[in-house]
Amino acid sequence: MEGIVGNQLNMILVMLCFTIVLGQSHINVGEQPLAKIAIHKTVLALHSSATITASPFVLGIKGEDIEWVTVEIESPEPYVDDWVGIFSPANFNSSTCPYTGGVGWVEEPYICTAPIKYKYANDSNSKYTKTGKATLKFQLINQRSDFSFALFSGGLSNPRLVSVSNSISFANPKAPVYPRLALGKSWDEMTITWTSGYDIKEAVPFVEWGPKGRKQARSPAGTLTFNRNSMCGAPARTVGWRDPGFIHTSFLKELWPNLRYTYRLGHMLSDGTYIWSKKYSFKASPYPGQNSLQRVVIFGDMGKAERDGSNEYANYQPGSLNTTDQLIKDLDNYDIVFHIGDLPYANGYISQWDQFTAQVQEISSTVPYMIASGNHERDWPNTGSFFDTPDSGGECGVPAETMYYFPAENRAKFWYKADYGLFRFCIADSEHDWREGSEQYKFIEQCLATVDRKHQPWLIFSAHRPLGYSSNLWYGMEGSFEEPMGRESLQKLWQKYKVDIAFYGHVHNYERVCPIYQNQCVNSEKHHYSGTVNGTIHVVVGGGGSHLSDFTSAPPVWSLYRDRDFGFSKLTAFNHSYLLFDYKKSSDGKVYDSFTISRDYKDVLACVHDGCEKTTLAT
């Protein structure tokens, strides 16, 4: 972006480029690909003989929310670095640029918003530079507005606008799309969140639902959105901004345990007509303590990728589609998902949140999709983040906290408990202070202390960053094998309340640690644990799809299994006494590491070091 702004703004943009790289702290092998486009440097170079045409003109005629588009290019002066960007809304000239209050660009930019994705013109035709002709295929999702395609020369760093296509649009761009299920605050409640283009002034949102094959009821939905001023910095406030539409959430209550329900999203327009989504279904949660088969998938750091091969995400989240596809393929074999931070890696490019919700919709529309806060969702300087880094690209948590529901008391404080049958999950927010005496520390202790282990024997702790143990390369270099100040405060809680397993993301690999307390393995077993709970097993499962992280060359004594690959974990509770853990690779869905826990209630009650009530003289 250099050379296109006055001294003051140029300095800001230089700092932004620096912080984008810094924002990938420890785990970066590349930046958000849309950040590579110097869109404000665009100059007009329209050529009367150059054409770019997109078809079909109307998408989603049969109600589809994902469609393929063909783009034909002809250029009399083709270059190897010509590229095509997709813009939405289709009108992307300077009239859409925000008012800068007098502090702006030296010259008014022609385009001030990044495309939603792009491809090089020679992507499908290596002879493009000789013939000047190419045909590109793009996959579009319904994003509440029309689209246009623009041909640029000059590469990404010095874009010259050569030709602009016709505009195309979905038949109903405002349609309700991409449902996201989540547990409510009580066990018998399911929430459904979705996105549409309908403000409440235009249409009333609701969910029509009921037991499969029986009478359907209707539940109202609340509506939220956010605007450019909700963002904390660039690029979310500048080139990355895109209107997120309206986010609706409905609360379905008094559900019967394990019963299958069907639902569809609805909007009643002011003229009395209805707009409907497709039909979906979900299985209600089991009653807390219910003795039934319960299966949980846990992973972090998945990101998103484009099925049309758009090179905007060439090597940024290379494994995300494999993970997504394996989870879709195995959808009948698990009941709930926990995605523990770093969802789309939008990094301030708001259009990418739609892309992500579309990518996982087959999963999130069928099973509860529970999320946690990661550095790429929350962190931004001077906004209360525990880590004062720019990793969110100026989002400072707003899109994540709005696009997804989670049962926190305060959505800006991203910690909550979730009861699911035999499990109690305590989801922490590693991007806010967790140390002893903090508000979050009190929540964590209450969450751990209030579970009835007689009925919910499996107690799970989770946070985005490794607050326990990881032999990742940069932790090894720091000599900590954890986030600084990670386990100092929390390990006494894990031990006192006998947490079974703690899960983390952030580090993009898989690692399983022995049952451990104060850096000492407390059990020599490796695959079958039974009896007293005398230490917590820590698992890093951050290989959901983003670029992989390296390990230290020599594994510490407490590291039982390490895998630098994409994958996810699965917990299967067969009953109150038997739990199975599996680690599966995204490439083939096969199990590469596993262990079991077998025990009775008396084993949970048994005294262990620092895990017993202090005795008194009276006893």
Side-chain angles (χ1 to χ4, degrees), residues 344-576:
Y345 291 83
N347 295 2
Y349 290 84
I350 308 303
S351 65
Q352 305 307 289
W353 279 94
D354 285 322
Q355 306 283 337
F356 178 77
T357 57
Q359 176 178 299
V360 300
Q361 72 165 328
E362 275 193 74
I363 305 164
S364 66
S365 63
T366 307
V367 300
Y369 199 94
M370 312 301 295
I371 68 168
S373 179
N375 52 306
H376 286 278
E377 278 79 55
R378 179 61 184 85
D379 292 2
W380 190 255
N382 302 312
T383 63
S385 302
F386 188 64
F387 297 91
D388 206 32
T389 67
D391 296 9
S392 76
E395 293 179 11
C396 55
V398 175
E401 293 160 14
T402 309
M403 298 287 286
Y404 282 83
Y405 177 83
F406 46 94
E409 292 302 319
N410 181 337
R411 299 282 287 283
K413 296 172 180 176
F414 217 125
W415 52 79
Y416 63 91
K417 74 174 178 67
D419 290 316
Y420 193 85
L422 298 168
F423 293 96
R424 160 68 63 88
F425 294 93
C426 297
I427 309 300
D429 179 359
S430 62
E431 312 315 301
H432 281 90
D433 194 353
W434 64 81
R435 294 171 298 178
E436 193 165 359
S438 68
E439 182 182 358
Q440 182 173 196
Y441 182 91
K442 294 173 185 175
F443 157 78
I444 293 170
E445 179 157 30
Q446 183 185 40
C447 183
L448 298 176
T450 54
V451 62
D452 179 356
R453 300 296 286 277
K454 187 167 55 266
H455 299 298
Q456 292 176 276
W458 311 117
L459 182 55
I460 310 298
F461 174 86
S462 186
H464 175 63
R465 295 173 185 256
L467 303 182
Y469 296 84
S470 166
S471 65
N472 196 63
L473 181 61
W474 77 75
Y475 287 142
M477 292 170 64
E478 293 171 353
S480 63
F481 292 115
E482 59 161 332
E483 278 297 326
M485 301 179 290
R487 57 182 176 263
E488 280 78 358
S489 290
L490 295 177
Q491 66 178 343
K492 66 178 72 172
L493 296 183
W494 299 328
Q495 185 75 354
K496 178 179 179 180
Y497 297 107
K498 301 181 176 69
V499 172
D500 292 296
I501 311 174
F503 287 94
Y504 314 101
H506 192 60
V507 174
H508 300 170
N509 54 37
Y510 169 75
E511 183 170 24
R512 174 167 64 93
V513 173
C514 63
I516 195 169
Y517 181 53
Q518 294 181 336
N519 292 314
Q520 299 296 315
C521 292
V522 295
N523 192 317
S524 59
E525 270 290 349
K526 291 189 170 140
H527 295 286
H528 306 285
Y529 304 105
S530 60
T532 306
V533 187
N534 52 6
T536 297
I537 298 168
H538 295 262
V539 179
V540 173
V541 61
S546 193
H547 42 268
L548 294 167
S549 303
D550 293 321
F551 290 104
T552 54
S553 57
V557 65
W558 38 256
S559 182
L560 299 185
Y561 191 100
R562 307 197 300 182
D563 187 37
R564 188 184 180 276
D565 204 350
F566 303 110
F568 54 93
S569 62
K570 181 180 177 182
L571 292 173
T572 303
F574 293 95
N575 51 45
H576 288 78

Side-chain angles (χ1 to χ4, degrees), residues 119-126 128 134-137 308-311:
K119 271 188 181 184
Y120 284 100
N122 62 7
D123 182 75
S124 62
N125 181 8
S126 59
Y128 168 74
T135 300
L136 300 177
K137 297 281 188 181
D308 59 15
S310 298
N311 63 332

Side-chain angles (χ1 to χ4, degrees), residues 12 76 85 97 100 128 170 181 207 261 281 284 312 332 349 380 387 433 442 465 470 478 538 550 592 597-598:
I12 293 173
C97 298
T100 58
Y128 168 74
F170 278 83
L181 297 171
V207 174
Y261 288 84
S281 73
E312 54 137 342
D332 292 335
Y349 290 84
W380 190 255
F387 297 91
D433 194 353
K442 294 173 185 175
R465 295 173 185 256
S470 166
E478 293 171 353
H538 295 262
D550 293 321
Y592 284 80
I597 301 176
S598 176

Side-chain angles (χ1 to χ4, degrees), residues 155-327:
L156 303 181
S157 55
N158 293 286
R160 297 167 56 83
L161 183 61
V162 176
S163 183
V164 181
S165 78
N166 54 290
S167 65
I168 65 175
S169 179
F170 278 83
N172 181 6
K174 294 185 175 184
V177 289
Y178 320 130
R180 285 92 75 184
L181 297 171
L183 302 180
K185 290 183 179 178
S186 64
W187 72 268
D188 61 348
E189 182 178 51
M190 190 70 75
T191 71
I192 303 176
T193 300
W194 72 96
T195 306
S196 86
Y198 292 114
D199 191 358
I200 54 172
K201 298 173 184 176
E202 187 178 3
V204 177
F206 63 93
V207 174
E208 185 176 85
W209 63 285
K212 190 173 182 180
R214 302 183 199 170
K215 185 178 179 181
Q216 306 288 288
R218 289 184 181 178
S219 291
T223 298
L224 296 173
T225 189
F226 53 92
N227 56 38
R228 194 189 296 265
N229 293 334
S230 305
M231 304 293 96
C232 293
R237 286 177 74 104
T238 56
V239 295
W241 172 252
R242 187 179 189 275
D243 191 307
F246 300 98
I247 317 302
H248 315 282
T249 299
S250 184
F251 298 83
L252 315 187
K253 301 183 178 184
E254 298 183 357
L255 304 179
W256 289 61
N258 288 74
L259 190 63
R260 175 68 58 179
Y261 288 84
T262 59
Y263 71 95
R264 59 176 176 165
L265 317 171
H267 290 264
M268 184 176 70
L269 303 182
S270 55
D271 63 3
T273 59
Y274 289 88
I275 303 296
W276 296 103
S277 74
K278 297 178 253 186
K279 268 199 171 182
Y280 305 92
S281 73
F282 67 87
K283 186 177 73 173
S285 302
Y287 183 80
Q290 180 174 300
N291 197 24
S292 60
L293 182 68
Q294 294 151 24
R295 304 152 304 176
V296 183
V297 165
I298 306 175
F299 61 87
D301 307 77
M302 185 159 74
K304 58 162 287 287
E306 295 295 337
R307 296 189 185 276
D308 59 15
S310 298
N311 63 332
E312 54 137 342
Y313 270 108
N315 289 303
Y316 196 47
Q317 280 98 35
S320 60
L321 289 182
N322 277 351
T323 301
T324 300
D325 291 344
Q326 282 296 341
L327 292 176

